[in-house]
Amino acid sequence: MSTGVEGAGRGGTFAGRLTRAGFADAARAARMFADGPLALACDEPVETLLGPLSDVADPDQALLALVKIAAAAGSDPANLAVLRALLAEPGPGRDRLLAVIGASVALGDNLASHPDHLAVLADDAPATGLPASVVRAELLESAGADPEAAVPVASVGGAGAVDAMRRAYQRRLLRISASDLTSVDPLSRLPDVAAALADLAAAALEASLAIARADLADHGAGVRIAVIGMGKCGGRELNYVSDVDVIYVAEPVDGVDEADALAVAARLAAGLARACSTVSGEPALWPVDAALRPEGKDGPLVRTLASHRAYYERWAKTWEFQALLKARHLAGDEALGNEYVATVNPLVWSAVQRENFVEDSQAMRRRVEEHVPAAEADRQLKLGVGGLRDVEFTVQLLQLVHGRADEAIRSPNTLTALAALAAGGYVGRESAAQLAVCYRFLRVLEHRIQLHRLRRTHLMPTTETDLRRLARSVGMRADGAQGLVDRWRAVRRDVRHLHEELFYRPLLPATAQLSTEEASLAPDAARARLAAIGYRDPAGAMRHIAALTEGVSRRASIQRQLLPVMIGWFADGADPDSGLLAFRRLSDELGTTHWYLKLLRDSGTAAQRLARLLSTSRYAAGALTRSPESVTWLAVDDDLLPRPFERLTAEADAVLTRATEQVGAATTLRALRRRELARTAVADVLGVVTGTSAALSLSMAADVVLAGALRIATEEVRNDRGLDADPTRLLVVAMGRLGGHELGYASDADVLFVHDPAIGADPTQAQEFALAVASLVRQLLGEVGPEPALEVDADLRPEGRNGPLVRSFDSYREYYERWSSPWESQALLRARPVAGDLALGAAFTGLVAPLRYPVGGLDHTVVREIRRIKARVEAERLPRGVDPARHLKLGRGGVSDVEWTAQLLQLQHAHEVPGLKTTGTLEALSAAAAAGLLDRADSEALASAWKLASRLRDAIVLWTGRAGGAHADVLPHDRQALAGIARVVGYPSGSGGELEEHYLRTARRARAVVERVFYA
């Protein structure tokens, strides 16, 4: 039988080929290739194995192990046949064998000791992803125990059962490691491997408990015992070689004394530990460590559930609750184990309320780091700077801080918990992904290092040979030893940076002027601060802060500078929770832009203004969310001032000139109005504009949109009808608050539609044309769409809703000459041409002048009629159940009282006082006072009441974000709503009661004037 060595000279020396294949000791390798045992296992060892061996982590080690295995298998034809089949042809079986012996001296030695285990590598059955019950049954059966039994007991105890169980463990471990080592992406495979190792450990504990029962005469029948997994085993993320942390809980069965039962349980626990970790014919598995139990090594090994509960409720330290986060039933009585977990879970997730909880956790991490021996500090994968503990402590602290309110993040598994934290917004997705990759890489390094000799270690090797083997085992063959070290160091830096950003309170330049407490964003300090300064849901606020500040990105860095300050500014508003939520939404929308966070960081005013807006006005917050670029206005007062009418008109003209279809053009016009609504709301809340200038801005925007909609509708109807010219001139007349330039955020646009047929035009055709245009104007501006609607209300037209929507100029003249009522004269005081034909507008103004400014004023019968109508309005239109003193529009001393009083004076005296010929309420009051028709004090009382009531009506919209509803005009009784409205109008925090008293007092004074002037 040829070994292939004799022909190795072709294409270079055999030693050269071996060196190129990765062998460090080519001479020894050449001898082993020529060795007899290898020739027994393979007909052409060199040609068959040289190439495959070049791909393993350590070709020298693999070849040596293969020689040992071949020698051991040679004594048993069945084992030799399996080995020859594995090596004969390329395939998964050969890959598994060579990968295992190339990475692990210990597993190679195990195969040499137990060549029958080669059958495991020949089996393509899956190694991971199996139900834990399958592995449990496998190990129980190895000890002769029935997996289906309620209390499994090994058929025999002692060393024989222990060794049989350990061999079953070795076979399963071999299967897992083979799957791991042949993975093309070990980082992705890691969670499945770690879970399989944890399930294997749990199965070994179950089998060991069955063996311990067999060693007792009654098999421990008087006690129920459960083994609780802690640490990595509890989290289903176990290493290849690790202490298995456990806690024992026991309960006597009915009729058994508790002390006797606990004594038996302690014997079972001790027997279990011996089966896993003491010297026997087969190597020990790992130590079973019960040091995490109450009182540690000084406490009893086994306790009852009640004893556990009493300890954790009274004596447990912070770190113990952090450890309990991983608690999971592993073996023994499943119902008791689950009851234990259910008992401790509420204590775990409320532990964050303990004094100094977060600081204690942080201090514990520092202590762990400080106890790393200096000689190991730069080699530690687990405990050192940028090691596994940095990731685990970070994830666990975030879980414990936020998990009380969010069950979705309570997983005991680090990677699963990290993903949940990212999904919940507690950790940024990029940061979480980076941390997860780093953690997987460190864990894979840890696994490969431990696999080499199946020893518990967390230290990076230092020799070139060891580093080279490690690099090749993790898929970094091309990078070599130095490449591996460079990547490991980069990962350590990334982990430490992320750990410090997420685990510790950030100390940021923007917080320098704040107190220590205010500047803190460490979870417990921030939570306490949030609760103290008025946040209703500190846990929810912490989630937003975490989502905005985690990670090492530029975006997160700036947020960490801003938020310590901004959370205090949010609290200056009436609803800081909504403010912070709105800020998060806005930041989600704009955080990736190049300007948003830079503006907030660098501007002297933008961040504080934004915080005030978002926490004070839901309307403004919604406006900014719909138009995020509006945030740029906050840096410069000029950008918040109302746009001049000419500028808005020019912008609308440009839109209409470019437009190709009516709906799109109308939507763009409505977007223009929405932008100006947002600008005005922002300026209003910030106090940049007054209530009257805000009303002027809103009115101008409505004027421009009405004019644009009339232009669109006219052209559309003309084209639809195939007309070359309009058969009639058109006019839109503003009425009501629009006519007075007094629109609020919830106001409709009250209008009249007027037309005047062209000379020679068919009157019927002209009327139909005008009606179609007016209807389309209302449709374009009022229908539901992506931009806010402007309801166009023509109910003030002659005959109200019973009359035609649009009338000709002659029809208006005839109506006003024959049938006009006093209320219509009063309504016409507000009439102002707003869109359409200028000449027709002037003619209409002239037409209505005698009605609204009657020569000689009003006779007494008309005055009585106006007073009667006003009294009827007060009696009938006030909503049922509403306190008249609190209705801002129709109530005593409200908007209606003041407007009717001013309008009565206009109707009586405008013919002789030119200043009263105005559509504005405040201008009319001022003119009346200047003419001596009102005492100056009375004029000021009425003006103050009107301005305050109008301001409060707008403030209700700004506060609630709702532009209508049954209570839109009612001063609320609710304290929080009053406080919010007070903040909108510029009162200090907590001044809702003061605002309420101020309004009621102002309205009473105004009502007294109304009683004397209007009803006199």
Side-chain angles (χ1 to χ4, degrees):
M1 183 179 295
S2 172
T3 65
V5 173
E6 59 274 11
R10 295 188 299 272
T13 66
F14 185 46
R17 289 182 64 190
L18 291 170
T19 301
R20 289 192 296 275
F23 286 89
D25 190 340
R28 189 182 73 160
R31 290 194 300 273
M32 286 190 288
F33 268 111
D35 201 2
L38 194 58
L40 289 175
C42 184
D43 292 338
E44 296 286 342
V46 174
E47 298 306 320
T48 302
L49 299 177
L50 184 59
L53 283 170
S54 69
D55 293 328
V56 304
D58 189 336
D60 297 87
Q61 173 184 298
L63 182 59
L64 176 60
L66 198 55
V67 170
K68 293 180 180 178
I69 294 168
S75 62
D76 186 325
N79 291 336
L80 183 61
V82 173
L83 178 60
R84 287 183 61 82
L86 283 171
L87 296 179
E89 297 293 338
R94 186 169 77 181
D95 292 343
R96 287 190 286 266
L97 171 60
L98 297 183
V100 166
I101 62 178
S104 176
V105 172
L107 291 176
D109 290 345
N110 178 265
L111 285 169
S113 299
H114 301 289
D116 58 307
H117 291 180
L118 287 167
V120 171
L121 299 176
D123 185 2
D124 290 331
T128 62
L130 296 173
S133 59
V134 172
V135 184
R136 174 181 180 272
E138 185 177 305
L139 264 72
L140 281 171
E141 289 170 351
S142 72
D146 180 6
E148 301 300 324
V151 181
V153 180
S155 57
V156 293
V162 169
D163 288 343
M165 180 272 293
R166 291 182 181 182
R167 285 191 294 273
Y169 181 94
Q170 292 163 7
R171 289 191 293 272
R172 176 57 59 180
L173 184 68
L174 183 62
R175 189 183 297 276
I176 294 169
S177 61
S179 174
D180 183 12
L181 291 165
T182 55
S183 171
V184 295
D185 185 1
L187 270 66
S188 296
R189 178 62 62 88
L190 170 75
D192 290 340
V193 170
L197 291 170
D199 291 343
L200 178 57
L205 291 171
E206 189 77 82
S208 297
L209 184 58
I211 294 169
R213 289 193 184 103
D215 289 334
L216 300 182
D218 64 350
H219 304 322
V223 65
R224 298 166 60 206
I225 184 171
V227 184
I228 306 300
M230 304 289 283
K232 283 187 165 60
C233 195
R236 292 191 78 223
E237 51 189 4
L238 195 61
N239 302 326
Y240 278 99
V241 185
S242 173
D243 291 357
V244 174
D245 296 314
V246 301
I247 288 176
Y248 299 105
V249 58
E251 292 290 334
V253 301
D254 291 343
V256 176
D257 179 74
E258 181 178 298
D260 293 340
L262 289 177
V264 172
R267 292 175 63 191
L268 289 172
L272 177 153
R274 286 194 300 273
C276 292
S277 56
T278 58
V279 175
S280 184
E282 296 292 339
L285 306 184
W286 17 253
V288 178
D289 189 347
L292 293 178
R293 66 186 184 269
E295 300 181 79
K297 295 179 180 179
D298 295 328
L301 182 61
V302 183
R303 288 176 182 256
T304 64
L305 184 60
S307 176
H308 278 285
R309 181 190 300 113
Y311 173 83
Y312 289 123
E313 288 178 343
R314 297 185 60 187
W315 308 112
K317 298 180 176 61
T318 295
W319 68 265
E320 293 178 276
F321 292 105
Q322 186 169 342
L324 284 170
L325 188 153
K326 301 283 190 180
R328 176 173 70 96
H329 169 263
L330 291 185
D333 192 296
E334 185 174 5
L336 179 58
N338 291 337
E339 188 177 358
Y340 174 90
V341 174
T343 297
V344 300
N345 262 346
L347 302 175
V348 170
W349 301 112
S350 62
V352 73
Q353 300 174 66
R354 294 162 61 95
E355 186 177 2
N356 299 322
F357 181 89
V358 172
E359 287 87 352
D360 287 348
S361 180
Q362 293 168 342
M364 180 167 59
R365 174 63 190 118
R366 290 191 292 271
R367 285 195 300 273
V368 168
E369 194 174 309
E370 290 164 0
H371 281 82
V372 175
E376 298 181 359
D378 288 338
R379 299 174 56 203
Q380 264 284 351
L381 286 168
K382 179 179 180 180
L383 304 177
V385 172
L388 292 166
R389 280 291 186 264
D390 272 359
V391 181
E392 291 160 358
F393 267 71
T394 298
V395 170
Q396 290 164 22
L397 181 59
L398 290 171
Q399 287 182 277
L400 290 165
V401 168
H402 300 294
R404 180 166 60 95
D406 189 350
E407 295 183 5
I409 63 172
R410 293 184 178 182
S411 172
N413 182 276
T414 300
L415 288 171
T416 302
L418 184 56
L421 285 165
Y426 304 101
V427 179
R429 294 188 184 277
E430 290 184 5
S431 297
Q434 184 180 12
L435 204 58
V437 169
C438 291
Y439 185 72
R440 288 170 188 256
F441 179 74
L442 293 172
R443 289 295 307 276
V444 167
L445 289 181
E446 182 184 45
H447 279 191
R448 297 296 188 266
I449 293 168
Q450 292 180 350
L451 261 177
H452 185 229
R453 297 192 182 279
L454 283 182
R455 291 178 182 170
R456 182 175 181 268
T457 179
H458 309 285
L459 298 178
M460 279 288 284
T462 56
T463 69
E464 180 74 16
T465 300
D466 288 340
L467 288 170
R468 174 175 168 270
R469 182 191 65 252
L470 183 58
R472 290 167 65 96
S473 73
V474 297
M476 296 182 64
R477 178 179 177 181
D479 301 89
Q482 190 58 49
L484 173 69
V485 171
D486 290 345
R487 182 175 177 186
W488 170 54
R489 288 173 177 166
V491 165
R492 290 181 66 194
R493 287 193 299 270
D494 290 343
V495 168
R496 174 43 61 114
H497 196 172
L498 287 162
H499 170 71
E500 289 177 344
E501 293 286 346
L502 297 171
F503 189 71
Y504 291 103
R505 176 181 61 196
L507 303 176
L508 305 168
T511 63
Q513 59 185 324
L514 302 175
S515 69
T516 301
E517 183 180 15
E518 290 171 336
S520 173
L521 280 182
D524 64 333
R527 184 187 295 273
R529 181 185 173 204
L530 291 166
I533 61 180
Y535 285 77
R536 297 190 308 277
D537 180 14
M542 285 300 302
R543 288 196 294 273
H544 300 316
I545 293 170
L548 289 165
T549 61
E550 80 265 339
V552 295
S553 66
R554 176 176 175 275
R555 172 183 179 182
S557 176
I558 296 175
Q559 290 282 21
R560 285 192 292 272
Q561 296 175 43
L562 294 170
L563 276 170
V565 183
M566 291 189 73
I567 58 176
W569 289 338
F570 289 135
D572 290 338
D575 192 349
D577 299 81
S578 292
L580 183 55
L581 173 59
F583 177 69
R584 178 182 173 185
R585 288 173 173 167
L586 198 61
S587 296
D588 288 343
E589 180 74 22
L590 292 176
T592 57
T593 63
H594 70 280
W595 58 267
Y596 168 66
L597 291 174
K598 183 177 185 297
L599 173 75
L600 297 184
R601 181 193 63 194
D602 298 340
S603 167
T605 60
Q608 187 168 10
R609 284 177 162 181
L610 181 61
R612 179 177 175 184
L613 281 170
L614 299 181
S615 61
T616 302
S617 170
R618 294 187 181 96
Y619 184 94
L624 289 178
T625 302
R626 287 190 295 271
S627 180
E629 68 279 1
S630 305
V631 174
T632 58
W633 300 337
L634 302 178
V636 182
D637 279 358
D638 287 348
D639 288 341
L640 292 172
L641 296 176
R643 304 294 89 177
F645 180 75
E646 294 75 17
R647 179 171 170 179
L648 293 178
T649 300
E651 186 176 348
D653 180 69
V655 167
L656 298 178
T657 300
R658 294 191 302 269
T660 59
E661 57 93 20
Q662 61 161 339
V663 175
T667 299
T668 305
L669 282 177
R670 287 166 61 167
L672 181 152
R673 175 173 173 267
R674 183 254 303 153
R675 185 195 69 200
E676 295 310 307
L677 284 170
R679 188 193 313 275
T680 305
V682 169
D684 201 350
V685 174
L686 296 177
V688 175
V689 299
T690 63
T692 52
S693 58
L696 177 61
S697 178
L698 298 174
S699 300
M700 285 194 301
D703 287 356
V704 170
V705 169
L706 279 168
L710 179 64
R711 180 173 162 183
I712 296 169
T714 301
E715 183 175 351
E716 185 70 17
V717 173
R718 183 195 317 121
N719 292 338
D720 283 349
R721 294 171 183 248
L723 301 175
D724 296 327
D726 298 341
T728 187
R729 296 184 297 165
L730 295 164
L731 174 68
V732 179
V733 179
M735 302 289 285
R737 295 182 74 85
L738 176 61
H741 287 112
E742 298 167 356
L743 278 189
Y745 297 99
S747 298
D748 295 342
D750 292 319
V751 302
L752 300 177
F753 290 106
V754 185
H755 79 99
D756 186 30
I759 297 174
D762 180 359
T764 301
Q765 184 188 48
Q767 178 66 26
E768 291 175 349
F769 181 89
L771 178 60
V773 171
S775 299
L776 186 54
V777 166
R778 299 181 73 191
Q779 177 186 333
L780 290 173
L781 297 183
E783 66 183 358
V784 175
E787 300 294 347
L790 175 63
E791 295 297 331
V792 179
D793 188 343
D795 288 354
L796 292 177
R797 65 187 183 268
E799 301 180 79
R801 295 181 181 178
N802 295 322
L805 178 63
V806 58
R807 288 175 180 262
S808 68
F809 181 81
D810 289 342
S811 177
Y812 273 103
R813 178 167 53 201
E814 180 180 6
Y815 177 86
Y816 287 140
E817 288 176 352
R818 299 179 60 184
W819 295 297
S820 179
S821 301
W823 73 263
E824 290 177 298
S825 295
Q826 185 178 347
L828 287 169
L829 287 167
R830 302 284 207 147
R832 175 177 62 85
V834 69
D837 190 277
L838 295 178
L840 183 57
F844 186 84
T845 300
L847 172 66
V848 300
L851 280 77
R852 57 181 178 176
Y853 312 133
V855 177
L858 299 177
D859 61 38
H860 293 299
T861 58
V862 175
V863 172
R864 283 197 300 271
E865 176 65 9
I866 291 174
R867 289 170 177 163
R868 184 191 67 79
I869 294 173
K870 175 68 168 71
R872 183 178 175 185
V873 167
E874 291 182 16
E876 297 179 2
R877 290 188 58 194
L878 195 69
R880 181 176 300 177
V882 173
D883 182 354
R886 305 184 77 86
H887 201 284
L888 301 170
K889 181 178 179 181
L890 302 176
R892 294 192 291 268
V895 168
S896 181
D897 265 5
V898 177
E899 290 179 350
W900 281 67
T901 302
Q903 290 161 11
L904 179 60
L905 292 172
Q906 287 180 281
L907 289 167
Q908 289 175 317
H909 303 287
H911 68 284
E912 58 186 2
V913 179
L916 288 173
K917 294 179 179 180
T918 177
T919 60
T921 303
L922 295 179
E923 292 84 351
L925 291 174
S926 180
L933 301 174
L934 268 179
D935 288 342
R936 182 64 64 181
D938 289 347
S939 174
E940 291 176 356
L942 292 173
S944 295
W946 186 88
K947 287 189 285 189
L948 182 57
S950 298
R951 184 79 180 95
L952 292 178
R953 293 178 74 194
D954 283 346
I956 290 173
V957 175
L958 292 171
W959 162 247
T960 63
R962 297 189 296 271
H967 298 285
D969 288 319
V970 180
L971 187 68
H973 289 280
D974 180 74
R975 295 294 98 183
Q976 183 182 357
L978 273 174
I981 295 166
R983 292 298 291 137
V984 172
V985 299
Y987 276 66
S989 296
S991 300
E994 182 181 343
L995 171 65
E996 179 181 39
E997 292 177 6
H998 176 51
Y999 173 73
L1000 295 176
R1001 184 169 58 249
T1002 301
R1004 283 195 300 270
R1005 284 202 298 264
R1007 181 66 182 193
V1009 176
V1010 171
E1011 295 286 352
R1012 286 189 286 103
V1013 175
F1014 184 85
Y1015 285 113

